[in-house]
Amino acid sequence: MSSLRLGVEVVSAHDLVPKDGQDSSGVYVELQFEGQKFRTSLKERDLSPVWNENFYFNVTNPSNLRDLTLDAYVYSHNKATDKKSFLGKVSLTGSSFVPLSDAVVLHYPLEKQRIWSRVKGELGLKVFVTDDSYMSSSNPRHTTQSAMNVDPLSAESIPNTFSNERAESRRTFRHLPNSDRRKQNDNTFAAGPPPKPNVGSYEMRSGPRPPNIVNTYAGSMPMQPGEYSVKETSPYLGGGRIVGGRVIPSDRPNSTYDLVEKMQYLFVRVVKARDLPAKDVTGSLDPYVEVRVGNYKGTTKYFERKQNPEWNEVFAFAKDQLQTSVLEVVVMDKDLVMDDFVGLVRLDTYEIPTRVPPDSPLAPEWYRLEDENGEKIRKGELMLAVWYGTQADEAFPEAWHSDASAATDPTPGIYGHTRGKVYHSPKLWYVRVLIIEAQDLLVSDKGRFPDAYVRVQIGNQVFKTKPVQARTMNPVWREEMLFVAAEPFEEPLVLTIEDRLASTKEETIGKVIVPLTQVHRRADDKLVRSRWFNLEKSTSAAMDADAGKKDKFYTRLHVQVCLEGGYHVLDESAYYSTDLRPTAKPLWKNSIGVLELGILNADGLHPVKTRDGKGASDTYCVAKYGQKWVRTRTIINSLSPKYNEQYTWEVYDPATVLVVGVFDNSQINGSNKDTKIGKVRIRLSTLETGRVYTHSYPLLALHPSGVKKMGELHLAIRFSCTSLVNMMYIYSRPLLPKMHYIRPLTPMQQDMLRHQAVTLVAARLSRAEPPLRREVVEYMSDAHSHLWSMRRSKANFFRLMSVFSGLLAFGKWFGEVCKWKNPVTTVLVHVLFGMLVLFPELILPTAFLYMFIIGLWNYRYRPRHPPHMNTRISYADGVPPDELDEEFDTFPTSRSPDVVRFRYDRLRSVAGKVQSVVGDIASQGERFQALISWRDPRATVIFLLFSLVAATVLYATPFQVVALICGTYVMRHPRLRHKVPSAPINFFKRLPAHTDSML
């Protein structure tokens, strides 16, 4: 029976601290695991030593492997003094141990042992789990160290560890796994979750493991399953390898796209053609061009009856997907039945030059067309530019991409929906309208006074004033309302006065149309002049610019209207705001930094559609920050798409959130809505400036069947600060612009206006090409986060309990102190209490010093990774199916009456408990009011007499004495306590509340 072992390959170290005063150190590594120790050979005078030595530890209890820790200490040995100096350490938890087939060499940054330790550099380790069967199959001529019962570092087992003879005679284990076995395992992981390896009772995590995993996010939030956790990765990007947030430069030249992996593309620019031969009987030609590389084919648009067409279109073919060494550019003639061949140009891909920006674009050349046999045809030339480049090329955004289109395009003409693009949200304004009064209303029935109201409309936003039933033809309303408008202003402000003749019958008295381009814009709270508008009977008359020149009697409407530029128009959930700037650009402050995002790739995506009998996904990513939206190209028919696109935003406030969502492009199949896969939120204030965050984020989605992991999204993020002073100053400024505090909006107004703002943004972005559809905008903006659900209510309740858990814990601890459960602690509390009472000037310094020490203590437990959606906090891992069905129900409901009745009864039960708690809290407050309100005359007399005596005693007695007596009484010994409540508590509970007055 094979036993489980932990294998550790100590590869190398890099950039260590010199300790011998001669810019070098004799270095070795000491490994410790479960009481077992190993030591590598000593590398003399080398700050970047290489060992490549393997060690194996016995695992006594494989089921507890995840709870164990492997420690690797790097020491410098001084032969003269025979002492060792600490150079750094690396600690790895059992959750990062993987089978040998998944193991890779990772370079871990060395950690300090003490705060004042001087440590730098990295240690390269390869850690894996194996068994005896693998070790026995290794080359027997190579030896390896294995942990026995005797300590390998004891004096008996190693007489002279650092002797040169021992170092030279040491033999290391260099067996490499079978490449066929590794390839087979990779294919298995790509197809689905791998089988559990035969390593005793140790069970690996089900499902594919992302590469280069360093550690798993724990943080201070409640723990959740490992598959739902954020994991740090160490990818090779354009600037080098990322290890622990730092970039280890590579030999490759740096570029502006340093947060994504460099991808090579074959670019083909089809510029134009001339003197093309005619193919139709009529002597005309409808030319278009096909660019073919292996199985991939890109097609330009075609022109009707044009022998000298100009296309100027670019095609990009991923170099790692090229299956041939020949590039064919074919000119075809569009026909109803079968397209005719005109000519082609063949190029050898090995002779194509490489262009690296900022080199000038490659100049296009004229190529003579050939026939299918390779002979030059008599007429026809094609202008082309062909080169190799990367995603940093200027042609990349506008190019047709081979990885964004299937080898055989399933639906011709859908490529426009697969392009990547940068969008900008329209500039949003609040429109404030104050309806003051009307003058000289003209109604059809001269014998009655009108029951008039004003109907105000901008687009699909409609508000009405209250009807005024006054015996006059000059009604006064003075009602104010707010709208949302987007630049350029396409919808005017329409004011209509209507007369209510009956409950179902209304008559229009007149209307006025005000273009928003003519409305006054203000950035503060200064008074805006009101205006009188003449009303017209019809819309055409109201839009007539010359109507004001006509000499006639008018009904007039007195209105004050302005565009509010001092507000930030909330078009997303207030908790996840990506922008907090006001609308008026002169009020913007200087930017404080730059946010860079590299969308690398996705892994393990779940198929959301079926194509050719197999599961498929056509995914793209959308990132939103501020007014800038970005959309990557769509990768068709791939469950592990690679995007490698980088974007940049200016940052004006660190208390903002970057949102990245993944969607399935349903337009390819002609469906109506794109499918939501998952999203990631990253708050900028949680990021360290200058650090590169490379993590894989689980894409969590809530379905009617429960929470599901739809895959993982790999991102690279860097927040660079341009002005540290400005950023620190921002923390003292209000979160929202000044107008939100001078003239605040009510919560009801905020919800209504936010809904209108999201509708406007979705309408504008859906008109772009390719469109950013409404469901995408609503999902990214959390448009439906305000809707009620039982799950969210429970989650918020548990969040509240978690916030007050500290106070509850303190109360429990203080109760134990008062009950003298630990006499030593109680005596110390008495001593501290006496010191603070006798020297009250020490109270605030002690409190702040305590918080300072606690803050320093918590530094070691600080979050190492950006926070992500937590299933435990969201109460998504234990929610019943019926509550999930209720959350996904439409509004209004579409369920049967029996289901709705059950849910209503359940809601009444829950709300009844909440009602009782709220009532109890209100009763306690009303009892405090009853002390001096004479609702209970006898209790009020008792309290007034007590207050008079207390005032006299406190006036004559020093405060320290009173505090000492009260504190000592509260913390008195249990023998001095009664089992029944004290007199003050009994008196307070007897006071009346307003519960007697409730029906």
Side-chain angles (χ1 to χ4, degrees):
M1 181 177 178
S2 62
S3 61
L4 191 67
R5 294 181 183 272
L6 178 68
V8 182
E9 180 180 351
V10 183
V11 181
S12 62
H14 173 70
D15 196 22
L16 299 177
V17 177
K19 289 291 185 179
D20 59 358
Q22 300 178 6
D23 292 337
S24 64
S25 299
V27 182
Y28 68 94
V29 178
E30 182 177 294
L31 302 174
Q32 298 182 11
F33 177 78
E34 207 174 5
Q36 308 164 57
K37 297 181 182 179
F38 284 123
R39 182 180 296 172
T40 67
S41 58
L42 183 70
K43 298 297 181 180
E44 297 285 353
R45 304 179 62 83
D46 192 352
L47 295 180
S48 297
V50 177
W51 289 281
N52 289 322
E53 299 178 11
N54 281 56
F55 306 91
Y56 289 87
F57 296 92
N58 291 328
V59 180
T60 57
N61 189 358
S63 61
N64 295 333
L65 183 59
R66 290 181 178 273
D67 301 326
L68 301 178
T69 302
L70 169 68
D71 294 316
Y73 296 90
V74 183
Y75 292 106
S76 170
H77 181 259
N78 192 328
K79 288 186 176 180
T81 60
D82 198 23
K83 293 183 178 180
K84 63 181 181 180
S85 302
F86 177 78
L87 298 182
K89 72 171 183 176
V90 172
S91 296
L92 302 179
T93 59
S95 60
S96 63
F97 301 158
V98 298
L100 177 60
S101 59
D102 291 343
V104 294
V105 178
L106 294 178
H107 294 269
Y108 301 93
L110 295 175
E111 301 175 359
K112 296 181 179 181
Q113 193 173 28
R114 300 177 182 85
I115 297 179
W116 52 83
S117 300
R118 184 187 172 204
V119 169
K120 70 172 184 176
E122 299 158 349
L123 178 63
L125 299 175
K126 181 179 179 181
V127 183
F128 52 90
V129 178
T130 184
D131 53 15
D132 286 337
S133 60
Y134 171 77
M135 296 181 62
S136 61
S137 64
S138 305
N139 192 338
R141 292 176 298 175
H142 289 173
T143 60
T144 180
Q145 293 193 27
S146 180
M148 304 299 177
N149 294 330
V150 181
D151 186 355
L153 295 181
S154 62
E156 292 80 3
S157 60
I158 304 179
N160 187 359
T161 307
F162 299 105
S163 64
N164 294 332
E165 295 79 13
R166 178 67 177 171
E168 293 174 0
S169 63
R170 178 186 298 272
R171 307 191 66 177
T172 60
F173 182 78
R174 294 186 175 88
H175 177 76
L176 295 176
N178 192 322
S179 60
D180 296 336
R181 175 184 173 187
R182 178 184 291 268
K183 184 180 299 184
Q184 180 182 359
N185 207 10
D186 292 343
N187 295 334
T188 304
F189 272 33
K196 295 179 181 180
N198 184 16
V199 287
S201 61
Y202 178 68
E203 296 184 359
M204 300 303 296
R205 180 182 304 162
S206 62
R209 179 183 293 272
N212 301 336
I213 294 177
V214 178
N215 48 22
T216 302
Y217 171 70
S220 58
M221 295 190 297
M223 294 296 293
Q224 59 178 346
E227 61 176 338
Y228 296 158
S229 301
V230 178
K231 304 176 184 67
E232 188 172 1
T233 60
S234 298
Y236 282 102
L237 303 182
R241 182 161 190 169
I242 309 299
V243 177
R246 294 184 300 163
V247 181
I248 300 179
S250 61
D251 297 333
R252 296 174 295 181
N254 200 352
S255 65
T256 55
Y257 285 75
D258 60 340
L259 292 186
V260 292
E261 297 179 14
K262 180 185 282 188
M263 299 180 66
Q264 295 286 338
Y265 287 90
L266 170 62
F267 289 96
V268 181
R269 181 183 292 276
V270 181
V271 184
K272 57 184 176 179
R274 65 185 179 187
D275 298 332
L276 295 178
K279 287 293 179 180
D280 295 340
V281 178
T282 59
S284 63
L285 181 71
D286 303 332
Y288 67 92
V289 175
E290 289 182 354
V291 183
R292 303 172 184 172
V293 182
N295 292 332
Y296 291 94
K297 178 181 68 175
T299 306
T300 68
K301 61 178 180 286
Y302 78 95
F303 292 94
E304 292 185 359
R305 299 181 180 181
K306 197 168 187 179
Q307 293 180 289
N308 297 295
E310 292 188 12
W311 294 282
N312 200 25
E313 296 185 26
V314 183
F315 300 86
F317 299 88
K319 190 176 180 180
D320 57 355
Q321 297 176 353
L322 298 183
Q323 301 171 352
T324 180
S325 61
V326 178
L327 166 67
E328 294 183 346
V329 185
V330 185
V331 181
M332 302 290 290
D333 176 31
K334 188 75 173 177
D335 207 340
L336 293 177
V337 181
M338 180 179 294
D339 297 346
D340 297 327
F341 172 82
V342 178
L344 62 82
V345 175
R346 287 191 180 95
L347 297 175
D348 191 345
T349 57
Y350 295 113
E351 298 179 357
I352 295 175
T354 300
R355 174 180 175 264
V356 179
D359 293 350
S360 299
L362 198 67
E365 302 179 21
W366 286 104
Y367 294 87
R368 287 285 303 273
L369 296 179
E370 303 175 355
D371 58 17
E372 294 177 341
N373 298 323
E375 300 292 335
K376 302 290 184 181
I377 63 177
R378 187 168 56 89
K379 292 180 60 178
E381 290 181 302
L382 187 63
M383 178 178 281
L384 302 174
V386 184
W387 70 97
Y388 283 113
T390 65
Q391 65 264 49
D393 201 291
E394 305 89 58
F396 181 83
E398 64 183 40
W400 174 97
H401 291 274
S402 60
D403 56 2
S405 181
T408 56
D409 198 352
T411 307
I414 56 87
Y415 182 72
H417 293 276
T418 65
R419 287 182 179 271
K421 191 163 185 177
V422 176
Y423 308 82
H424 285 275
S425 295
K427 192 175 183 180
L428 300 177
W429 295 78
Y430 284 145
V431 183
R432 189 182 298 273
V433 181
L434 175 62
I435 307 298
I436 303 175
E437 59 181 333
Q439 196 174 76
D440 301 329
L441 296 183
L442 297 177
V443 295
S444 57
D445 186 1
K446 304 294 184 181
R448 60 178 290 273
F449 292 102
D451 186 6
Y453 66 90
V454 180
R455 184 173 182 269
V456 188
Q457 180 177 1
I458 299 179
N460 61 349
Q461 306 172 64
V462 180
F463 289 100
K464 297 179 181 179
T465 65
K466 296 179 180 178
V468 175
Q469 298 177 345
R471 301 181 63 82
T472 177
M473 292 296 181
N474 302 314
V476 178
W477 292 279
R478 289 200 172 273
E479 289 189 30
E480 189 176 77
M481 50 198 71
L482 279 175
F483 299 83
V484 181
E487 282 190 296
F489 301 117
E490 298 177 349
E491 301 289 344
L493 171 66
V494 181
L495 306 169
T496 307
I497 300 182
E498 297 185 354
D499 180 18
R500 179 174 297 175
L501 302 178
S503 59
T504 59
K505 186 177 181 181
E506 298 169 341
E507 180 186 44
T508 299
I509 298 177
K511 65 174 56 178
V512 60
I513 297 179
V514 183
L516 293 180
T517 54
Q518 301 177 7
V519 173
H520 175 75
R521 306 184 183 194
R522 70 174 183 178
D524 47 29
D525 196 36
K526 291 184 178 179
L527 184 64
V528 177
R529 294 183 59 183
S530 58
R531 296 175 58 187
W532 286 94
F533 294 95
N534 298 325
L535 270 66
E536 298 289 345
K537 275 290 185 183
S538 64
T539 302
S540 59
M543 298 181 65
D544 188 2
D546 297 329
K549 301 178 182 178
K550 300 177 182 178
D551 187 13
K552 57 181 288 187
F553 180 78
Y554 292 102
T555 294
R556 300 199 303 170
L557 180 63
H558 194 193
V559 178
Q560 186 184 79
V561 57
C562 68
L563 291 170
E564 296 282 7
Y567 288 92
H568 167 68
V569 180
L570 295 170
D571 60 340
E572 53 201 347
S573 175
Y575 301 109
Y576 316 122
S577 293
T578 63
D579 190 13
L580 299 171
R581 292 172 294 172
T583 301
K585 198 168 184 178
L587 298 179
W588 292 4
K589 305 297 183 183
N590 294 330
S591 64
I592 61 171
V594 174
L595 174 64
E596 298 169 274
L597 169 67
I599 304 177
L600 303 180
N601 61 291
D603 279 336
L605 295 180
H606 285 209
V608 297
K609 64 180 69 167
T610 302
R611 180 178 294 142
D612 298 331
K614 299 180 181 179
S617 288
D618 308 318
T619 57
Y620 65 91
C621 297
V622 175
K624 179 186 186 302
Y625 184 77
Q627 296 179 349
K628 180 180 174 181
W629 300 64
V630 297
R631 169 180 174 157
T632 67
R633 67 193 188 281
T634 300
I635 308 298
I636 292 182
N637 210 20
S638 175
L639 299 181
S640 298
K642 292 185 178 181
Y643 306 100
N644 284 308
E645 298 184 22
Q646 184 171 338
Y647 301 96
T648 305
W649 289 267
E650 280 191 308
V651 178
Y652 293 86
D653 197 314
T656 48
V657 177
L658 168 69
V659 185
V660 184
V662 183
F663 302 87
D664 178 81
N665 195 335
S666 300
Q667 307 309 307
I668 296 175
N669 296 338
S671 301
N672 292 327
K673 293 185 177 181
D674 290 352
T675 304
K676 305 180 288 287
I677 295 180
K679 64 182 172 184
V680 176
R681 300 191 198 99
I682 300 171
R683 188 170 294 275
L684 267 62
S685 59
T686 63
L687 303 179
E688 299 177 13
T689 56
R691 177 179 176 180
V692 179
Y693 288 85
T694 52
H695 295 82
S696 65
Y697 298 85
L699 298 172
L700 305 179
L702 194 63
H703 295 270
S705 59
V707 66
K708 181 185 290 187
K709 179 181 176 181
M710 303 297 293
E712 293 186 349
L713 180 64
H714 294 250
L715 302 176
I717 303 168
R718 178 170 56 207
F719 174 35
S720 303
C721 176
T722 56
S723 176
L724 182 60
V725 176
N726 288 343
M727 186 171 67
M728 302 306 292
Y729 174 72
I730 286 291
Y731 279 89
S732 66
R733 303 299 302 161
L735 190 65
L736 293 171
K738 185 178 179 181
M739 282 292 292
H740 285 270
Y741 306 97
I742 298 178
R743 299 191 67 174
L745 306 176
T746 64
M748 184 176 296
Q749 278 182 318
Q750 291 181 9
D751 289 340
M752 178 190 62
L753 294 172
R754 182 167 61 88
H755 174 72
Q756 296 295 340
V758 172
T759 302
L760 282 174
V761 173
R764 291 293 178 87
L765 296 183
S766 63
R767 288 155 52 182
E769 184 61 38
L772 206 58
R773 301 183 62 83
R774 181 184 182 88
E775 60 270 15
V776 174
V777 176
E778 290 181 348
Y779 183 65
M780 297 289 291
S781 303
D782 290 280
H784 303 297
S785 60
H786 64 287
L787 296 179
W788 181 89
S789 76
M790 185 72 73
R791 177 188 63 84
R792 289 195 187 99
S793 301
K794 291 181 179 179
N796 288 329
F797 172 77
F798 290 124
R799 287 175 57 203
L800 189 65
M801 294 299 296
S802 177
V803 169
F804 288 102
S805 61
L807 294 177
L808 297 177
F810 176 79
K812 182 178 179 181
W813 170 82
F814 187 73
E816 294 177 352
V817 169
C818 296
K819 294 178 182 179
W820 289 72
K821 287 191 173 182
N822 190 337
V824 177
T825 303
T826 303
V827 171
L828 292 178
V829 171
H830 277 78
V831 173
L832 178 62
F833 175 74
M835 292 179 57
L836 295 180
V837 170
L838 296 177
F839 305 97
E841 63 275 8
L842 297 179
I843 295 178
L844 288 179
T846 303
F848 284 108
L849 181 62
Y850 175 77
M851 288 187 288
F852 173 77
I853 295 175
I854 293 299
L856 287 182
W857 177 262
N858 290 337
Y859 178 78
R860 59 190 297 186
Y861 305 110
R862 68 192 186 279
R864 301 303 178 101
H865 314 305
H868 187 51
M869 299 175 186
N870 191 297
T871 55
R872 295 285 169 83
I873 290 181
S874 304
Y875 200 70
D877 54 352
V879 57
D882 182 69
E883 294 182 7
L884 282 173
D885 182 71
E886 181 183 23
E887 184 169 348
F888 283 93
D889 191 7
T890 57
F891 188 86
T893 182
S894 59
R895 299 297 184 265
S896 64
D898 293 337
V899 174
V900 175
R901 184 181 296 110
F902 166 74
R903 292 174 179 173
Y904 175 64
D905 292 340
R906 180 181 60 190
L907 180 60
R908 290 174 61 190
S909 175
V910 174
K913 297 176 182 178
V914 175
Q915 171 183 289
S916 300
V917 173
V918 173
D920 291 342
I921 296 175
S923 297
Q924 307 309 318
E926 290 168 353
R927 288 191 176 102
F928 276 106
Q929 295 176 345
L931 288 172
I932 55 176
S933 64
W934 293 88
R935 295 196 71 235
D936 184 343
R938 286 165 294 279
T940 302
V941 169
I942 294 174
F943 178 72
L944 294 181
L945 292 176
F946 170 77
S947 300
L948 179 62
V949 173
T952 304
V953 172
L954 292 176
Y955 182 78
T957 307
F959 176 76
Q960 289 88 339
V961 176
V962 175
L964 278 175
I965 294 175
C966 294
T968 305
Y969 174 77
V970 171
M971 295 184 290
R972 66 191 183 277
H973 198 273
R975 292 183 179 180
L976 304 177
R977 297 176 182 272
H978 297 286
K979 294 184 179 181
V980 297
S982 61
I985 295 178
N986 296 330
F987 175 78
F988 181 77
K989 288 186 176 181
R990 291 176 178 274
L991 293 173
H994 289 306
T995 51
D996 305 334
S997 303
M998 295 187 64
L999 291 175

